[in-house]
Amino acid sequence: MLRSISSNCRYAAGQQECVKRLLSVSRTLEQQNLAQLLDSTPTRTDDDWLKAKPYSEVPGPTTLRVLSYFLPGGKLYNTNLIQMNRRMREMYGDIYRFPGMMGKADVIFTYNPQDFEVTYRSEGVWPIRIGLESFTYYRKVHRPDIFGGIGGLVSEQGKSWADIRNKVNPVMMKVQNVRQNLPQIDRIAKEFIDKLETLRDLQTNTLSADFHDQLKMWAFESISFVALNTRMGLLTDQPDPNAALLAQHMTDFFNESFKYDVQPSIWPYYKTPGFKKFLQTYDHITEITTNYIEAAMKRFKLEKNEENKCVLEQLLTLNKQVAVVMAMDMLMAGIDTTSSAFVTILYHLSRNPAKQAKLQEELKGILTDPSEPLTAENTKNMPYLRACIKEGLRITSITPGNFRITPRDLVLSGYRVPRGTGVLMGVLELSNSDEYFPQSEQFMPERWLKQDATTENQACPEARSRNPFVYLPFGFGPRTCIGKRIAELEMETLLARLLRRYHVTWLGEKPLQYESTIILSPHGDIRFKFEPID
């Protein structure tokens, strides 16, 4: 889930170089010798390549022009990445080249789904996707004593990445492994609803606390149980003190990672006092996480459970260092992403009462009594709920695009693109285009339903894009988000609980706004009204 290279660069004076940092190939790849990951065959000489236009003819600004765009008064001054993408596309078309700077590679921006397919189909078994540079430095250089040279799925490339991914795929991507967490995830969702009740004004049906902040606590409690097999008590009045500290360190991580991994920084050349403090944040997260894992290991040893082992126990059977890395990655990636996606989905349902009512009818059939548990059996058939999640992620995905570095020479939109070039595929823009999704501005979960005469819901699959590469909220191929199934389980469970209990109305004066640090995150006036159904 941390695959984004997006940011909300507030390009005030002195910050215009943020784009250089954002859109250049990471030094992490240089350190791992990018050349070794690229196809070593000779340059293509086939007809498609020879007939394509030279790379030098790809539209795009010069380096000096780019810099002028981000100066005060420039066309892209004070824009975030989404706004920048939109304006650059207006100026240069559906494919353009963003020039590399300071010795870095160029990045090709494309809004052509055929290019998406060519890029993905050519990535091979070891896709190259840049991660967080500080992440890799901390684990592989600063603290090899803890991680043993393992960078994790976010940062590793090539065979080292594949070795980890192949080990954890059976644990993280197997439906049965993830869904065995449903009873506890459901219990956490119930506790969240109970807490909302204590915060709800009985006269106005509004909350006395920030809903998004509360939602982050739910997401943290949920992913902590999966990653650490531990209940943190974050939804109670007496949370585990270490859990509260870990939550604060996670917040610091997101804020500081934007500063050191996205904005321009000299830390790769000189370790500033601020960066050293950032490394201490990593240390705190590592120490607390490791302590929780050590405690869980003692429990597992006493319980001697040979069947239905939890995710953490299965990871520990592979390798303790892999388990620590994966647990930390789940915690870092599973809080803001899941809570932000949930706010987006709830917002669209709150603005579309007819769709919300249709979902509530489905939920009444699943939960006749709102207090009964969600089970593997009664959650098998929730097509409209799952369609609502898909539709919310279509309109606003967690990131504006998917990124790859081309391992071999490609022809994109009729241009030659040499191996080693970055390619950003603008899925968010296309998912909100009538060309690919008819009536794209409408929240229409029916797009995702299958035509079925036995269901009461009217399906509308013709309103869905016929190109499968336009809608990819969790990525594609071998580097598909490893936490996909966990995030879906958490969102499905809470959405079922929340909308079986309340009718939700949006109270914000404006449409939901977003900022982009590492991910796209709702911000500003986020207010809902929660009216009990029964």
Side-chain angles (χ1 to χ4, degrees), residues 65-357:
R65 184 163 296 243
V66 165
L67 293 175
S68 71
Y69 286 164
F70 292 100
L71 293 173
K75 294 180 179 180
L76 302 177
Y77 177 68
N78 206 30
T79 60
N80 60 36
L81 189 62
I82 297 175
Q83 295 165 336
M84 186 204 80
N85 288 354
R86 200 161 290 159
R87 295 181 192 178
M88 291 283 284
R89 188 183 180 195
E90 290 171 355
M91 288 188 284
Y92 295 104
D94 283 350
I95 184 169
Y96 60 87
R97 179 179 58 87
F98 202 99
M101 304 177 193
M102 299 173 64
K104 304 302 178 180
D106 295 346
V107 172
I108 296 293
F109 282 71
T110 175
Y111 300 89
N112 181 343
Q114 283 72 43
D115 291 347
F116 301 177
E117 181 171 4
V118 169
T119 301
Y120 282 126
R121 298 292 191 200
S122 304
E123 66 183 4
V125 295
W126 299 343
I128 308 172
R129 185 181 67 203
I130 62 173
L132 302 178
E133 196 172 345
S134 67
F135 220 48
T136 305
Y137 174 81
Y138 175 74
R139 289 180 174 176
K140 304 192 82 169
V141 179
H142 189 67
R143 294 304 304 271
D145 55 313
I146 297 291
F147 299 98
I150 298 175
L153 295 180
V154 175
S155 302
E156 295 284 8
Q157 308 294 337
K159 187 178 184 300
S160 59
W161 167 83
D163 288 344
I164 300 174
R165 182 76 191 221
N166 291 337
K167 288 178 181 177
V168 302
N169 260 351
V171 179
M172 303 287 293
M173 298 298 284
K174 190 176 180 181
V175 175
Q176 182 180 349
N177 277 345
V178 173
R179 295 200 73 83
Q180 69 172 319
N181 294 290
L182 176 58
Q184 277 288 350
I185 296 298
D186 187 31
R187 190 169 299 139
I188 293 168
K190 285 182 176 180
E191 291 176 9
F192 179 78
I193 301 299
D194 291 342
K195 186 171 185 182
L196 284 192
E197 270 299 290
T198 67
L199 300 172
R200 184 174 64 89
D201 185 295
L202 300 182
Q203 300 299 317
T204 64
N205 292 313
T206 58
L207 301 182
S208 59
D210 184 283
F211 177 69
H212 196 191
D213 285 346
Q214 297 300 314
L215 204 57
K216 289 179 182 180
M217 293 298 101
W218 156 78
F220 198 176
E221 187 75 19
S222 299
I223 197 61
S224 295
F225 176 76
V226 177
L228 302 173
N229 194 241
T230 302
R231 288 299 310 272
M232 300 292 196
L234 293 169
L235 300 175
T236 69
D237 293 331
Q238 294 181 319
D240 183 328
N242 287 322
L245 282 173
L246 185 57
Q248 182 57 53
H249 293 318
M250 288 295 180
T251 299
D252 293 341
F253 157 73
F254 264 89
N255 293 337
E256 295 301 301
S257 182
F258 173 76
K259 179 178 179 181
Y260 291 108
D261 286 304
V262 176
Q263 291 182 326
S265 175
I266 63 171
W267 76 260
Y269 310 104
Y270 174 73
K271 305 301 180 284
T272 64
F275 182 74
K276 290 179 180 178
K277 186 177 179 181
F278 181 39
L279 293 179
Q280 291 176 2
T281 298
Y282 274 127
D283 278 335
H284 294 318
I285 293 172
T286 301
E287 180 182 3
I288 296 173
T289 302
T290 303
N291 288 340
Y292 277 121
I293 291 175
E294 294 283 356
M297 289 173 65
K298 292 178 181 178
R299 289 198 309 273
F300 298 151
K301 189 173 182 179
L302 292 173
E303 294 168 359
K304 296 181 179 179
N305 180 22
E306 296 299 327
E307 297 182 2
N308 299 321
K309 291 184 178 180
C310 68
V311 168
L312 176 60
E313 195 168 5
Q314 291 182 61
L315 290 173
L316 284 166
T317 61
L318 299 174
N319 181 298
K320 181 182 177 182
Q321 289 167 329
V322 168
V324 171
V325 165
M326 290 306 302
M328 288 180 62
D329 286 358
M330 281 189 272
L331 292 170
M332 290 176 170
I335 301 173
D336 286 59
T337 51
T338 307
S339 60
S340 295
F342 192 91
V343 170
T344 292
I345 295 159
L346 190 64
Y347 164 75
H348 288 294
L349 282 164
S350 70
R351 294 285 300 270
N352 292 271
K355 309 299 184 186
Q356 185 177 162

Side-chain angles (χ1 to χ4, degrees), residues 372-392:
E372 65 182 287
L374 289 168
T375 66
E377 186 60 32
N378 64 16
T379 58
K380 278 183 180 178
N381 188 29
M382 301 190 299
Y384 202 73
L385 182 144
R386 291 179 175 126
C388 288
I389 292 175
K390 285 185 175 181
E391 184 68 348

